Amino acid sequence: MKAKATLKQIAKELNVSVSTVSKALNDSPEISSSTKIRIKEYAKLKNYKPNVIGLNLKNRKTKTIGVIIPNILNSFFAKVFSGIEKVADEKGYNVIMCISNESLEKETHTLEMLSNGTIDGFIVSVSEEAQKNHEYNHFSSIINDGTPIVMFDRIAAEVDCDKVIVDDYDSALNSTQHLINLGCKNIALLSSIDNLSVGKLRAEGYLKALENNTIPVNSNIILRADSEEDLNSKIENIFENNTIDGVFALDENDSVAALKIGLKKGYKIPEELSIIGFADGILASRRLSPSLTTVSQHGVDIGEVAAKLLIDRLESKEEHVPYETVVIKTKLKERESTRKL
């Protein structure tokens, strides 16, 4: 039996967009007669049959949103997802969650699979591999084919779409400044996410705070790694071979590692060592002793805003709605790992 062609295959072979193929097969007045004839003849030749997945993508509504997150074990992403689901439920949408596991290939495959008519739009936090390789064509391709995407937290500046971010640079600057205000003069930077956009912005904020206070940059107490394993293999050297009185950690795992190693090395926290970390989970606030002072990213709020942006775009009657970037302000939650001013 001859295999049936898909809309995407036809579009690729004829070098046109999926939406053009769909409109031509639907006799849309937007498509010229010659193009309609060419597409219809080719579709017939390739044994194309209309189905609920392929045809009329733009007008068919599934009332389903696809969410792609990089890591299911990260409490921040869990909070974002709960915010997305809350708004989606209120608006009568279903949610399908997929995990890229930081893989560019899996991220691309998931986008292609679900954009074939299973969902109306995506909410995505970009995978580590995509950011490391600066590879974002898979997002642009999906958007150009008529499926909207909202990016959150980890975004691709090169891709035109709606975005929801936190004030990573400013919050890092303010957190480092808080440590300086506490009297810290030798503040270590710990990052296992230096290949991510958020990691780079947070590191820049830390460096700017040092500059603002004319504190020399000490590269011996700055650890910028691309993975948790890399950071953990080097972190003890920071504590053993340098004098430090403060730590700014750029991820929840980095924050926990700093606290554990600090205690292991005999530091009194917060009397001798103050620690601030980016974290949004109960691990930092309830399960560690002393509890961690954290930069709260308001994950639930990010999810709610992202879902509203996507649904508003899906339900808009206007053809060209300008893309929007919403910045969610973080909040410093002071706990036991920092001294009081």
Side-chain angles (χ1 to χ4, degrees), residues 262-275:
L263 291 170
K264 180 182 175 182
K265 297 300 179 185
Y267 283 90
K268 292 178 182 177
I269 300 173
E271 295 84 359
E272 298 172 343
L273 182 70
S274 288
I275 301 172

Side-chain angles (χ1 to χ4, degrees), residues 168-169 172-173 176 189 191 194 197-209 222 224 248 250 278:
D168 287 292
Y169 176 85
L173 189 155
T176 308
L189 176 80
S191 171
D194 199 50
S197 56
V198 292
K200 289 180 171 62
L201 285 168
R202 293 168 192 175
E204 287 171 14
Y206 159 88
L207 293 170
K208 183 62 177 175
I222 295 176
R224 299 176 68 169
F248 181 46
L250 305 194
F278 266 84

Side-chain angles (χ1 to χ4, degrees), residues 13-28:
E13 291 292 329
L14 297 180
N15 198 28
V16 296
S17 70
V18 172
S19 61
T20 297
V21 174
S22 177
K23 288 174 181 177
L25 294 172
N26 270 344
D27 279 322
S28 168

Side-chain angles (χ1 to χ4, degrees), residues 13 37 41 85 94 102 113 128 157 190 208 239 274 308 311 314:
E13 291 292 329
I37 292 169
E41 287 182 350
E85 200 165 45
N94 298 309
E102 306 290 9
M113 177 181 67
E128 179 181 343
L190 302 180
K208 183 62 177 175
F239 285 82
S274 288
K308 286 173 184 172
I311 292 170
L314 290 170

Side-chain angles (χ1 to χ4, degrees), residues 192 225-234:
S192 64
D226 286 350
S227 69
E228 193 180 336
E229 293 77 17
D230 190 22
L231 180 127
N232 288 339
S233 69
K234 299 173 181 175

Side-chain angles (χ1 to χ4, degrees), residues 175-187 210 213 215 243-247 270-274 276 338-341:
S175 297
T176 308
Q177 183 64 53
H178 185 77
L179 289 170
I180 294 168
N181 293 345
L182 292 176
C184 298
K185 292 180 171 57
N186 300 289
I187 303 167
L210 298 185
N213 292 271
I215 296 175
T243 300
I244 59 172
D245 51 16
V247 174
E271 295 84 359
E272 298 172 343
L273 182 70
S274 288
I276 296 177
T338 50
R339 297 188 299 277
K340 303 302 178 189
L341 273 172

Side-chain angles (χ1 to χ4, degrees), residues 70-308:
N71 181 355
I72 197 172
L73 298 178
N74 189 309
S75 60
F76 167 70
F77 292 123
K79 287 192 173 185
V80 173
F81 184 73
S82 69
I84 293 169
E85 200 165 45
K86 177 177 177 286
V87 171
D89 187 56
E90 290 170 356
K91 300 283 190 177
Y93 282 74
N94 298 309
V95 180
I96 296 175
M97 182 174 74
C98 299
I99 302 141
S100 68
N101 279 331
E102 306 290 9
S103 163
L104 170 60
E105 182 181 357
K106 191 166 185 181
E107 184 174 72
T108 303
H109 174 72
T110 303
L111 282 166
E112 290 177 349
M113 177 181 67
L114 294 182
S115 66
N116 242 351
T118 305
I119 54 91
D120 294 336
F122 289 102
I123 299 174
V124 179
S125 188
V126 180
S127 68
E128 179 181 343
E129 192 176 3
Q131 289 209 318
K132 195 171 184 177
N133 297 336
H134 301 285
E135 178 55 63
Y136 307 123
N137 290 338
H138 52 305
F139 296 118
S140 299
S141 175
I142 296 296
I143 294 167
N144 291 340
D145 281 343
T147 303
I149 292 176
V150 175
M151 292 182 174
F152 73 91
D153 189 47
R154 304 185 201 170
I155 62 167
E158 299 92 323
V159 178
D160 288 331
C161 65
D162 293 310
K163 301 178 177 87
V164 185
I165 57 174
V166 298
D167 55 337
D168 287 292
Y169 176 85
D170 287 339
S171 56
L173 189 155
N174 294 335
S175 297
T176 308
Q177 183 64 53
H178 185 77
L179 289 170
I180 294 168
N181 293 345
L182 292 176
C184 298
K185 292 180 171 57
N186 300 289
I187 303 167
L189 176 80
L190 302 180
S191 171
S192 64
I193 55 170
D194 199 50
N195 52 337
L196 301 180
S197 56
V198 292
K200 289 180 171 62
L201 285 168
R202 293 168 192 175
E204 287 171 14
Y206 159 88
L207 293 170
K208 183 62 177 175
L210 298 185
E211 180 188 323
N212 289 347
N213 292 271
T214 61
I215 296 175
V217 175
N218 181 357
S219 59
N220 294 325
I221 58 174
I222 295 176
L223 178 49
R224 299 176 68 169
D226 286 350
S227 69
E228 193 180 336
E229 293 77 17
D230 190 22
L231 180 127
N232 288 339
S233 69
K234 299 173 181 175
I235 190 172
E236 288 206 36
N237 290 333
I238 296 275
F239 285 82
E240 285 177 356
N241 301 317
N242 300 279
T243 300
I244 59 172
D245 51 16
V247 174
F248 181 46
L250 305 194
D251 181 73
E252 185 160 49
N253 292 324
D254 306 342
S255 310
V256 173
L259 184 65
K260 287 183 176 178
I261 296 295
L263 291 170
K264 180 182 175 182
K265 297 300 179 185
Y267 283 90
K268 292 178 182 177
I269 300 173
E271 295 84 359
E272 298 172 343
L273 182 70
S274 288
I275 301 172
I276 296 177
F278 266 84
D280 219 16
I282 61 171
L283 184 63
S285 58
R286 299 182 203 168
R287 295 183 183 169
L288 295 176
S289 181
S291 58
L292 268 170
T293 293
T294 60
V295 180
S296 176
Q297 297 162 270
H298 302 299
V300 175
D301 294 344
I302 291 172
E304 290 182 3
V305 171
K308 286 173 184 172

